[in-house]
Amino acid sequence: MNERLVVEQRVDKSILNAWICDPAGGGNVAREMTVVVGGGVIGLLSTYLLASAGQEVVLLEAGEAGREASWAGGGIVSPLYPWRYSPAVTALAHWSQDYYPQLGQTLLRQTGIDPEVYATGLYWLDLQDEDEALAWTERQGRALYPVPMEQVRAAVPALGDGFSRAVFMPGVANVRNPRLLAALREALQRMPNVRVVEHSPVEALIQEDRRIVGVRTAEGEWRGEQVVMAAGAWSAELLAPLGIELPVKPMKGQMILYKCAEDFLPSMVLAKRRYAIPRRDGHILVGSTLEDVGFDKAPTEDALESLKATAVELLPALANAEVVKHWAGLRPGSPDGVPYIGAVSGFDGLWLNCGHFRNGLVLAPASCQLLADLMLGRKPSIDPAPYAPGQRFS
């Protein structure tokens, strides 16, 4: 087998069978291999961590790796309103926030691609539940404090005039998600025990005596000792034929992108559930919508006009700026935004890492570390109980 991973656009059956089944080409791979379904940030990082621990891994992606919800998000390394989430989400978010700088540096060193973990801090404007936010941060030991508006306007001169109160959380970063995904993909390409197969939709999971032993694609079967479902909004559809009713569904989100001067927006700002995120090179993301429209991910004119209005309210100078890009993605909506991480009872060999809703990029490092810990029999980095599939679905 090639010493480097080959990212396949298509894989014919002879290649597949040689890699999986031919004893001369590594017949024991099928007994030791893990199959990861889904090439978003959760699937890519799960693969990276498992392979770094010595596992043989094949990652299957229906389209191009890193081009769905993970690519479409804003990349704020925090839930929009962290005090409104359960302790389960908070635990993953805090672990990930502390780990992201290290992850960014490691990937840059390994691949030469900088994920741009950019610590700008975040201003929340005119919060209705400011008291709850301040009480939460005191309990959690995280810095969050009120800031006089004159201080905010001095720090963010481009901010609109229609705001009267602000709280600020220093140190909150955003990650440039397309570059993070590119770095993860490149890191996998350099690992001899990983194979990524793109444009290869999984048609079904293969079950033998209540054990999941692989997956079937149009090109053939990929068999392994363990299968990880990390297919985001598509996970429920793939699990349904097994009688597993996973409460994860697609939730559409739309965003727009502007290009401004590099110093135009020094910090992230958020008001009325909409936000503006600066990149280091002056690109400004404004988002996002939340729409329950099934698997429709076409951008709409109504959303574009709504996002433009938000942009101008937050940053009036954007009225004269051109929209560089407008896009939509499908988030994996789940109850309370708590992901499913762990083994599925009654289906030996099947593991889940899905259902992160709006926080896939936020929670990815902690979620994937927890999954790797559980799969490899290590002491979990985070208490796994709140995320265990167990009785959370029937």
Side-chain angles (χ1 to χ4, degrees):
M1 186 169 59
N2 196 316
E3 291 184 352
R4 289 176 55 83
L5 167 150
V6 178
V7 177
E8 303 284 357
Q9 296 298 313
R10 298 286 183 197
V11 56
D12 64 36
K13 292 181 180 180
S14 62
I15 294 175
L16 182 152
N17 290 335
W19 199 69
I20 299 296
C21 302
D22 180 9
N28 62 345
V29 169
R31 294 190 299 276
E32 300 174 355
M33 190 177 69
T34 295
V35 178
V36 175
V37 180
V41 67
I42 300 297
L44 288 167
L45 189 51
S46 294
T47 299
Y48 176 80
L49 293 176
L50 290 169
S52 295
Q55 297 288 298
E56 297 277 351
V57 187
V58 61
L59 184 150
L60 302 174
E61 166 54 39
E64 294 181 24
R67 294 296 298 182
E68 290 291 347
S70 304
W71 181 91
I76 302 177
V77 186
S78 171
L80 293 188
Y81 298 93
W83 52 90
R84 298 178 187 174
Y85 283 89
S86 70
V89 173
T90 297
L92 293 176
H94 285 178
W95 198 98
S96 293
Q97 287 166 337
D98 294 341
Y99 185 72
Y100 249 115
Q102 175 184 336
L103 176 62
Q105 293 167 7
T106 298
L107 290 173
L108 174 59
R109 184 175 64 252
Q110 291 179 345
T111 69
I113 300 171
D114 187 358
E116 293 190 11
V117 180
Y118 184 26
T120 66
L122 173 58
Y123 289 97
W124 283 269
L125 306 170
D126 292 348
L127 272 178
Q128 294 182 343
D129 57 351
E130 182 175 323
D131 289 344
E132 288 84 351
L134 296 175
W136 174 88
T137 194
E138 185 173 349
R139 292 193 304 271
Q140 296 295 325
R142 297 268 161 166
L144 174 70
Y145 47 82
V147 181
M149 281 309 300
E150 58 268 23
Q151 183 176 329
V152 179
R153 297 190 189 286
V156 188
L159 187 67
D161 293 330
F163 305 102
S164 59
R165 293 179 295 109
V167 297
F168 182 61
M169 183 178 283
V172 178
N174 67 77
V175 61
R176 197 155 187 173
N177 36 312
R179 297 190 181 189
L180 171 66
L181 297 162
L184 284 168
R185 190 174 182 273
E186 176 63 22
L188 296 183
Q189 188 171 356
R190 297 173 183 225
M191 303 177 87
N193 54 331
V194 175
R195 188 168 192 151
V196 173
V197 184
E198 298 180 318
H199 301 286
S200 185
V202 168
E203 297 177 345
L205 280 73
I206 303 170
Q207 181 180 0
E208 296 177 357
D209 298 325
R210 299 292 286 180
R211 179 173 182 83
I212 303 303
V213 296
V215 301
R216 186 176 70 249
T217 71
E219 291 82 16
E221 295 181 352
W222 294 94
R223 289 184 172 246
E225 202 170 47
Q226 302 177 105
V227 174
V228 176
M229 181 57 63
W234 289 265
S235 297
E237 287 196 340
L238 291 170
L239 294 171
L242 299 175
I244 297 173
E245 297 180 8
L246 181 72
V248 172
K249 67 176 182 177
M251 296 294 290
K252 183 176 178 179
Q254 301 189 49
M255 300 187 68
I256 55 177
L257 179 70
Y258 294 91
K259 180 65 169 73
C260 301
E262 291 183 13
D263 59 353
F264 174 73
L265 182 63
S267 298
M268 295 179 283
V269 293
L270 191 157
K272 302 176 184 177
R273 301 193 68 83
R274 297 280 179 90
Y275 49 78
I277 305 170
R279 303 304 199 202
R280 284 179 177 159
D281 63 2
H283 280 96
I284 308 294
L285 290 91
V286 175
S288 71
T289 65
L290 184 62
E291 307 159 58
D292 188 354
V293 292
F295 285 94
D296 172 17
K297 62 175 183 177
T300 64
E301 192 66 26
D302 286 348
L304 176 60
E305 294 307 313
S306 176
L307 290 168
K308 284 181 176 179
T310 292
V312 172
E313 182 180 10
L314 285 171
L315 307 164
L318 293 181
N320 301 315
E322 179 183 357
V323 175
V324 175
K325 191 174 181 63
H326 169 214
W327 67 89
L330 299 177
R331 308 179 182 101
S334 59
D336 301 318
V338 179
Y340 297 86
I341 308 170
V344 181
S345 178
F347 296 89
D348 289 347
L350 178 60
W351 297 79
L352 303 187
N353 196 1
C354 54
H356 293 75
F357 206 175
R358 304 185 76 165
N359 294 310
L361 286 159
V362 183
L363 308 181
S367 297
C368 298
Q369 183 67 46
L370 176 57
L371 178 75
D373 289 342
L374 294 171
M375 293 182 69
L376 298 170
R378 302 185 303 214
K379 181 180 179 180
S381 52
I382 293 171
D383 178 9
Y387 322 101
Q391 299 302 313
R392 294 181 61 201
F393 56 80
S394 55

